[in-house]
Structures are given as C-alpha cells and as structure tokens.
Amino acid sequence: MTGRQADRLAMLGGRRAVPKELRIAPWPRVTGEDEAAVMRALASGRFTAAAAGEREIPGLEREWAEFTGTRHAIAVSNGTAALSLALAALGVEPGDEVVVPALSFVATAAAPLHLLAVPVFADIDPVTYNMTAAAFEAVITPRTKAVVVVHLHGLPADLDEIGAIAARHGIAVVEDAAQAHGAEYRGRRVGSIGAINTFSLNVSKNLATCGEGGLITTDDDALATRTTMLRQFGELIEGRGSRSYVSHLLGWNNKPAALQAAFTRSQLERFGTEAKQRDANVRRLLARAAALPGFVAPSAPADRTHAWHILRFRVDPTAFGLAPELAGPLRAVVQRALRAEGVPAAPYQLMPLPAQPVFRDRSGFGGLPWSLHGTPEVPCGPEGFPAAYQVLDESFALQKAHLHPDAGPLLDRYADAFEKVWERRADLLGIAAALEHTPPWEEAGRIAAAEWDAAFAGGGETE
Ligand SMILES: *Cc1c(COP(=O)(O)O)cnc(C)c1O
C-alpha cells in the first residue's frame, strides 16, 4: 500500500486508523477476585434476599449506601424494577403524572406507566443532553407527583434548579442514575440528592454485575422500608425469626440474587481505581476531538463530574463548511467514515421517548392511564421536542469500548481516526450534500414495521 493510499479514508479504500488487531476488551472485566467472590456466595448455600443469614446482599447494600453517602441502599433485580419500586414507594398512584426527560432509555418512562401513572415528557438541553429545569417547569400540573431526573450518559443533571422548582410544587425528585455511578454534583455523589434514587447494575453499566441487578438509595427510613417490602411481595422479611407471609403492600418479586451481589461487591472494591483510569483515557480522546472544530465533544461543567458512561459527539456542519440544515446527513456520513476507520460510532436511541409507539399510541392498559383524567394529547414530533430530535439527528455515540480501564491505547487510535476524518473532510462534503437522508426516528420506524410484520405475520392488523 502506498503512502497516499494509507492517508485516504478507509471508507474510500484507505488503511484503517484503528488496526483490526486492537480489540475492544470485554466489559465488565472479570478478575480472579470476582470469581472468588462468586464462589464464596455459591459455597454459602444462601442465594436470595429471603434466605436467612445471607450476607452478600446486605453487604452490597451497606457498601453502596456508604459509597453514595446515603442512609439506605436497597438491592433489587434490575434498574427498571428499581424505578418502579422507587415511584411506588413514594406513593405514585393511578392518574398521577410523572415528568421524565424526552431522551432516555425506555425504562424511565415505562416505570410510571406500570403504576398507571402518566409519563409526561420534558425536552432536553442540546449540549448536556439532560432535561432542563425550564422544560420541567413548563409541564407541571396539579397532578404532577414526581420528576425522574436522568443523568444521561453519566453527566449529572441540574439537580439544584430542578429540585428548587420541585420543592415549590411539592413534587418528589427521583434520580435515575443508571448511567452515572460515582458522578458528583456540587460535591455530592449522584443518588444522594433526590428523595429516592435508582441505579442499574446491568452488564452494560459502569458498575456491573454478572447479569442483572439494580440499587435504590434514600435517606428516608420509611421510604427504605417500603421499598424493601415492595421488592418482596409487600412482606416484611426480617431475615431472622419466622416469616409471617403477610402482604402489607402490593409488592412484586424483584429481589436481588446473592451471586450477583457478591460479584458487584468485588467490582465495587476497584470501582474508584478503574473510574480514574477510564477518566484519564477518555479525557485524552476528548481533548483531541474537542480540538477539531467540526466536533462537539462531551464535557462536564466545573461543578460536576462525568461518569463517561456513553460518549456522545455532535457534528458542527458550519465548521465543516456546510449549511446548518445538512447536520443530519453530515452526521450520517461522518459516522460511516469513523466506522470504516474502526471506531464503533453508533446511535444511542433512535427516537425520543414520546415518539415510542408504547407512549405515542397510548396503548398502556386499554387507554389507561391517559383516559382517567382525559390527559390532553401533546405533539410528539420535533415541534414538541426540538432539542431531543436535533440531538438524535446530529450526534452519534461511543459505548462500551471505553469502559475497560485498559482501553487507553484503543482510544488513542480512535482519536487518530477523528483527526483523520477531520483532515479528510473535503472528501465527505459532496457525499453529505448528495445524501438522501433518513433521520434515525424514520429509520427506526421502518425497522420496527418490518420487525412487527415478521413477528406477527398474518396477524391481519396493518396500518
Ligand atoms: C439501563 C437503564 C435503565 C434500566 O436498567 P436495567 O437494569 O437495564 O433494567 C434505566 N434508566 C436508564 C437511564 C438506563 O440507562
């Protein structure tokens, strides 16, 4: 291969900036200590939160409460269940409204719906990607019971501003910190600021288990007791003495598993060290990407830290010398060019939450909960949530590859790829300008329709 060819974009036949031999290290990282922890739990013969004398689950709860700086932590089966339990513990009831951001993982909005509460969406900030205080305030009604604040991608949201508005209206704040373990907001760890807060321990998250798991944190003794009851059939299971089998509350079975708790305790022991290494690796990549005028790299304001769960980059069409309305096509072409170089650039979420059919079509429970109080329909398109739509069209994300603490050398090659794509941008402009662009939410619609037809072929219901 000649030097000239090596310099060409991989998309146009040049050599990749990220050599194929550099592999993404699997996450979560599993060490001998993790294996020993799981074996210890296995040898104990006690596997669930209801087993008398089980020590791993209370151990994880104690350590997570200490880590976040809260009085109580309650381990549960996953992060989605954690949200449902937290809202139920707060007393969210049928017909109540729960404000959630327009951009998040679907669980954030599905949790209130499972309680027959109406998820009400608030638009995000196009730079931080988090719900804005103004958007939250604009959708408050007398029925608003809670607001779920998501620290999207690992950056804490504006908790003080949102908290002050919530306090004025008697609305409970729930932090959904599934993507932000360990991130700090004005000197406090996330999960210690809302009334009751949730984390996921899914294998994709910064603090993982070997499967599924979740954690709930609160300073409130009564909320903690209710949450514990809700995870186990509404029962008070003391773990010693006899069990009454009396369900005081409408609970679920969302108990955590001991093996998973043991694994996460072991991960937690080195969480701080690994987070520091990740921070250094990611910052090196971001500093180089931020020096390129065409990319807007993620960053953290001075009063908070970023957990770098997902790295979302926006393209700036004017810096590339393109008209602003070509941002979407430019993003699509840049994403393709980066992928060809070996950078796994991909979308995170294809559509804003309010456009998800489950919310948009108000399927819910036979029209409930929206029909309970005749909740007015709000437009779920770009006119209703301009920032969320804009962000989805103009940005792409890096996930997972950067989580392993040894990802530094790989991320350095990713930075090479960003620089190469920027230097070679002239080769992309014509492609972007001529591209027949499909925004991600339309792409999702197409995929979904095909998926649905394949799953329910012959079902007869078409639109
Ligand atoms: C992952 C995630 C959840 C759900 O957690 P699970 O453990 O996968 O159920 C909830 N909210 C957000 C923001 C998430 O990223």
Side-chain angles (χ1 to χ4, degrees), residues 240-259:
R240 55 181 181 279
S242 55
R243 180 172 165 185
S244 71
Y245 290 100
V246 170
S247 290
H248 302 270
L249 301 170
L250 177 57
W252 290 266
N253 180 10
N254 286 135
K255 295 194 299 298
L259 265 56

Side-chain angles (χ1 to χ4, degrees), residues 158-205:
D158 293 334
L159 284 164
D160 281 352
E161 292 79 357
I162 290 171
I165 296 164
R168 273 207 302 283
H169 293 268
I171 296 166
V173 174
V174 178
E175 293 174 65
D176 177 351
Q179 302 191 358
H181 311 76
E184 289 178 18
Y185 175 82
R186 299 186 177 165
R188 299 166 70 185
R189 288 236 161 97
V190 297
S192 69
I193 299 165
I196 181 163
N197 313 301
T198 67
F199 295 85
S200 165
L201 299 175
N202 179 269
V203 286
S204 63
K205 311 293 184 182

Side-chain angles (χ1 to χ4, degrees), residues 92-406:
V92 168
E93 290 186 351
D96 287 345
E97 292 175 2
V98 176
V99 179
V100 301
L103 186 63
S104 180
F105 183 63
V106 67
T108 309
L113 199 47
H114 277 292
L115 298 169
L116 279 171
V118 174
V120 174
F121 301 96
D123 205 6
I124 57 162
D125 179 275
V127 176
T128 66
Y129 312 128
N130 283 323
M131 178 201 289
T132 66
F136 162 50
E137 189 158 32
V139 296
I140 292 172
T141 77
R143 278 191 247 285
T144 310
K145 183 78 176 241
V147 56
V148 182
V149 182
V150 179
H151 307 308
L152 199 70
H153 303 339
L155 178 67
D158 293 334
L159 284 164
D160 281 352
E161 292 79 357
I162 290 171
I165 296 164
R168 273 207 302 283
H169 293 268
I171 296 166
V173 174
V174 178
E175 293 174 65
D176 177 351
Q179 302 191 358
H181 311 76
E184 289 178 18
Y185 175 82
R186 299 186 177 165
R188 299 166 70 185
R189 288 236 161 97
V190 297
S192 69
I193 299 165
I196 181 163
N197 313 301
T198 67
F199 295 85
S200 165
L201 299 175
N202 179 269
V203 286
S204 63
K205 311 293 184 182
N206 287 25
L207 179 65
T209 189
C210 49
E212 307 274 354
L215 286 157
I216 299 169
T217 48
T218 181
D219 284 329
D220 186 299
D221 298 349
L223 280 178
T225 303
R226 271 215 294 282
T227 304
T228 308
M229 293 166 73
L230 286 165
R231 83 171 178 192
Q232 54 205 29
F233 322 108
E235 290 181 47
L236 279 161
I237 305 174
E238 284 300 330
R240 55 181 181 279
S242 55
R243 180 172 165 185
S244 71
Y245 290 100
V246 170
S247 290
H248 302 270
L249 301 170
L250 177 57
W252 290 266
N253 180 10
N254 286 135
K255 295 194 299 298
L259 265 56
Q260 265 86 38
F263 181 88
T264 300
R265 290 180 80 185
S266 178
Q267 296 270 318
L268 184 53
E269 272 189 46
R270 56 176 195 274
F271 179 85
T273 316
E274 292 191 345
K276 219 177 261 169
Q277 287 170 288
R278 182 182 307 125
D279 186 65
N281 296 339
V282 166
R283 280 180 188 281
R284 255 194 345 270
L285 164 64
L286 297 182
R288 286 175 63 188
L292 312 172
F295 292 96
V296 182
S299 63
D303 63 351
R304 60 201 86 175
T305 65
H306 201 307
W308 311 126
H309 174 59
I310 286 172
L311 310 177
R312 184 183 284 280
F313 297 85
R314 274 181 73 189
V315 295
D316 176 354
T318 48
F320 274 86
L322 288 173
E325 56 273 20
L326 286 176
L330 174 66
R331 188 270 310 152
V333 172
V334 165
Q335 187 177 309
R336 210 193 295 164
L338 283 170
R339 290 186 69 86
E341 298 297 337
V343 179
Y348 173 82
Q349 300 299 314
L350 296 173
M351 58 173 80
L353 287 180
Q356 286 276 358
V358 56
F359 309 119
R360 181 199 63 199
D361 300 344
R362 300 189 158 196
S363 14
F365 299 86
L368 292 170
W370 297 274
S371 59
L372 268 173
H373 300 292
T375 310
E377 300 227 17
V378 289
C380 67
E383 66 279 30
F385 304 93
Y389 277 90
Q390 189 193 359
V391 163
L392 288 176
D393 202 23
E394 300 180 5
S395 66
F396 57 87
L398 297 186
Q399 296 184 62
K400 273 215 137 178
H402 63 282
L403 293 181
H404 196 289
D406 296 340

Side-chain angles (χ1 to χ4, degrees), residues 27 34 44 59 84 134 176 195 229 260 451:
W27 182 261
D34 301 334
S44 79
S84 288
D176 177 351
M229 293 166 73
Q260 265 86 38
E451 227 172 43

